[in-house]
Amino acid sequence: MSGTGARRIRVRVEGLVQGVGFRPFVCGLAGAYGVSGFVGNDPGGVFIEAEGEPSVLDAFTAGLTGQAPPLALVERVLVEPTEPVGGSGFRIVASRRGEQPDGALVSPDAGTCAACLRELRDPGDRRHRYPFANCTDCGPRFTIVTGVPYDRCATTMADFEMCAACALEYGDPGDRRFHAQPVCCPACGPALRALGADGLPAAGDPVEAAAGWLEAGRVVAIKGLGGYHLAVLAADGAAVAALRARKRRESRPFAVLAADAAAAGTLVHLEPAAERLLTGTSRPIVLAPRRRDAPVADAVAPGARELGVMLPYTPLHHLLADRLAVPYVLTSGNLTDEPIAYRDEEALRRLAGVADGFLVHDRRIEAPADDSLVRVFRGRELVVRRSRGYAPAPVGVPWRFPRPVLACGAQLKNTFCVARGNQAFLSQHIGDLESYETLRSFAESVEHFCRIFGVRPAVVAHDLHPEYLSTAYARDREDVDLIAVQHHHAHIASCLAEHGHGGPVIGVAFDGLGLGADGTLWGGELLVADLVSFRRAGHLEAVPMPGGAAAVRQPWRMAAAWLDRIHGDAPPGLAVVGRHREQWPAVVRMARAGLNSPLTSSAGRLFDAVAAIAGVRDVIGYEGQAAAELEARVDPGERGAYPARLIEGEPLVIAAGDLVGAAAEDVAAGVDAGRIAARFHRGLAAAVVRAVRAVGEGTGLRTVALSGGVFQNTVLLEAVVSGLERERFQVLVHSRVPPGDGGIALGQAVVAAANDRR
Ligand SMILES: [Zn+2]
Ligand SMILES: [Zn+2]
């Protein structure tokens, strides 16, 4: 179609443009504008040559960004002129492979789209009830990608040869499966099987068999996108209890899958933002206020005011939800503290004795990914666990990483981060690096990320804590420059990175524990920080943590340490003292002597102490449980707030003991836990605001960044943010990056890069 005035251009498109239907989209766009040429994938993204009239080429180039498909994220379009060659038509050419992938991105997995769902339910369609239907707008991506560029042969779908009908769809530019790499059908794709506890195939339809088991109160392991899940009917209290017991006394709340948004609305109160997140392509678990009449057993989320709900995100989950017509629990297929099982043999071995039946298939999972978990804060997403559906989408930052970085993250809720150019890739949730299995999963996932993003790390960032396994892993890497980043500095930097803010700011980092620059355990910190460095401007009053790790598992020990500091030898006659009277004196002696009792300024431990004193929780089953339950108890009608003094000095100290003492007095006076929880939250928030104001007066800084796992607590977050806004501070809070340790690797990466530049 090249006329007399025709020009030809070479275009490079970088960003999230592979695996999202970008090449078919370019073909369609070229057709619409009458442009000739070709498009293909290479390790750096998408390359295009296009020929046509200049004005048409301009419109075509603008459309590459402006009209891109829903799952695409176009970061750069580079255009250069070249010699016209004539010719007509526009086609997709073979992918070019290269040694150094530099800009190519792998898309996150996307929930089943409406068009595929219609086919699934259409008896006349050849994919009627086919559990692996997908298209260019939906389906597995990251979890099946083995390498780049993104092509079928670089996914686990390479095991399946397309049938003639699928090949036609794949090759037809007018088809919505044009160049959809995981395209398949019952004739050529993966197949579902139901296996009994004995490993033998069940008779009949596999979905029907699994549904029958669930209805009979059994625990069923289901192979999903990013790993195996365990399922029971949500209303079946006995089955839920059995699942908890078999998962080795798991006490975390379970998530519930509902067939659609209307069904989810019978379980939780959904504000519009929550419904948007629930129905979006990422399909996370959304935490929302539980309805009083929700048809869900109490054991699903004991002690919680909220319930985690999600919608089906694969055809298999849809088929099961449609068949059951009631919500089912879907929790990661592992034992407490182990990573999610995703390799078939290993899953069948590890889940034997846990599951009564298995619903499995023969599409391999290359990368494990747990379900993501989000809350809503002021109508925006607040990601708590960033995994399936989110990873490995890049977090764009307005700075360059001078050399490729690997940031190894923290010990708990580990994620890692690889970064190059101006992109940082935060990994899926790995878990607590406390077992060989988790460490292996971490090391394998690091290798996978480095491979698919073509990163050979030159700089490796790690936490200050020498005993974190992530630190040990970093120190084992050869031929790299190591940069140690303080835990709370990394938290604040992760918040700055998410906002593209370079600092300096006043950072408030509230979390469980992180090793401080002075060798004590920090966790209630006010830092004056930028990306390069920080100064500790203030903190919560520090107390001994009697027994170290034992005090983390037993919040009553923190109550003992605080009450002893406040009341000395005459502890008030509180129920928590009575419940632990045999061990109490020894724990107090331990704290006084400083024996195995490291000092901590942790906000998480402060919540623990108040939760124990208020009678909410003495001993926990998972990290953060006491704080979560204290938050759940907050009486929203309560307007009171405990006072806390600020102790002038460098650094400034928030007298947290004032809050604990006031709570203890209220308990002794018979005030209920809901009002105590509210007064504590409101008092702590007010103290934080006053401390920030004092630091602001000293430094002239007017921007505050809030980070750390304690700020997953939206009651505290709202109180602190609104207090700071009343003082006219600009406040940065997390949204797409978790405030907890799952976001810390991003902070480590940007701090390492800032120091690498110098
Ligand atoms: Zn689809
Ligand atoms: Zn087929």
Side-chain angles (χ1 to χ4, degrees), residues 110-117 119 133-139 141 176-177:
T112 308
C113 73
C116 285
L117 189 55
E119 288 181 354
N134 64 82
C135 72
T136 44
D137 288 341
C138 77
R141 298 290 188 275
R176 65 186 189 83
R177 293 198 166 87

Side-chain angles (χ1 to χ4, degrees), residues 45-56:
V46 164
F47 60 86
I48 300 168
E49 286 201 14
E51 190 162 330
E53 300 296 325
S55 62
V56 164

Side-chain angles (χ1 to χ4, degrees), residues 126-127 161-167 169 183-189:
R126 68 191 190 90
R127 290 188 181 83
E161 197 179 335
M162 271 183 233
C163 68
C166 286
E169 292 169 330
V183 68
C184 58
C185 75
C188 67

Side-chain angles (χ1 to χ4, degrees), residues 64-282:
L64 291 175
T65 310
Q67 300 170 42
L71 298 183
L73 189 80
V74 176
E75 298 209 326
R76 258 181 308 284
V77 178
L78 307 167
V79 181
E80 61 175 53
T82 182
E83 283 301 307
V85 299
S88 65
F90 200 93
R91 64 205 170 85
I92 294 182
V93 296
S95 295
R96 294 175 187 158
R97 271 150 219 287
E99 284 302 297
Q100 267 299 345
D102 194 45
L105 299 183
V106 174
S107 161
D109 302 270
T112 308
C113 73
C116 285
L117 189 55
R118 272 195 301 276
E119 288 181 354
L120 190 70
R121 291 171 175 166
D122 175 2
D125 193 275
R126 68 191 190 90
R127 290 188 181 83
H128 179 228
R129 296 183 52 78
Y130 182 56
F132 307 96
N134 64 82
C135 72
T136 44
D137 288 341
C138 77
R141 298 290 188 275
F142 169 64
T143 54
I144 61 165
V145 170
T146 56
V148 283
Y150 175 71
D151 268 333
R152 190 175 179 103
C153 64
T155 72
T156 59
M157 283 302 290
D159 301 351
F160 303 91
E161 197 179 335
M162 271 183 233
C163 68
C166 286
L168 266 179
E169 292 169 330
Y170 181 87
D172 174 3
D175 194 278
R176 65 186 189 83
R177 293 198 166 87
F178 183 48
H179 279 241
Q181 303 306 341
V183 68
C184 58
C185 75
C188 67
L192 197 62
R193 287 191 306 160
L195 305 174
D198 51 9
L200 298 174
D205 177 66
V207 171
E208 190 55 42
W213 289 330
L214 289 169
E215 285 171 343
R218 307 262 166 77
V219 176
V220 179
I222 301 173
K223 183 177 178 183
L225 268 186
Y228 279 72
H229 285 88
L230 292 164
V232 291
L233 292 192
D236 187 338
V240 175
L243 175 57
R244 283 203 180 281
R246 292 186 203 173
K247 282 191 80 172
R248 288 203 203 126
R249 297 186 303 282
E250 175 65 83
S251 48
R252 290 175 182 83
F254 289 149
V256 174
L257 185 144
D260 52 29
T266 67
L267 304 175
V268 290
H269 297 281
L270 285 175
E271 57 175 299
E275 187 166 335
R276 266 199 312 281
L277 292 168
L278 200 61
T279 55
T281 57
S282 295

Side-chain angles (χ1 to χ4, degrees), residues 59-60 77 117 201 219 467 504 593 604 624 644 672 693 706 723:
F60 169 77
V77 178
L117 189 55
V219 176
E467 285 164 23
D672 70 77
R693 183 169 63 202
L706 305 179

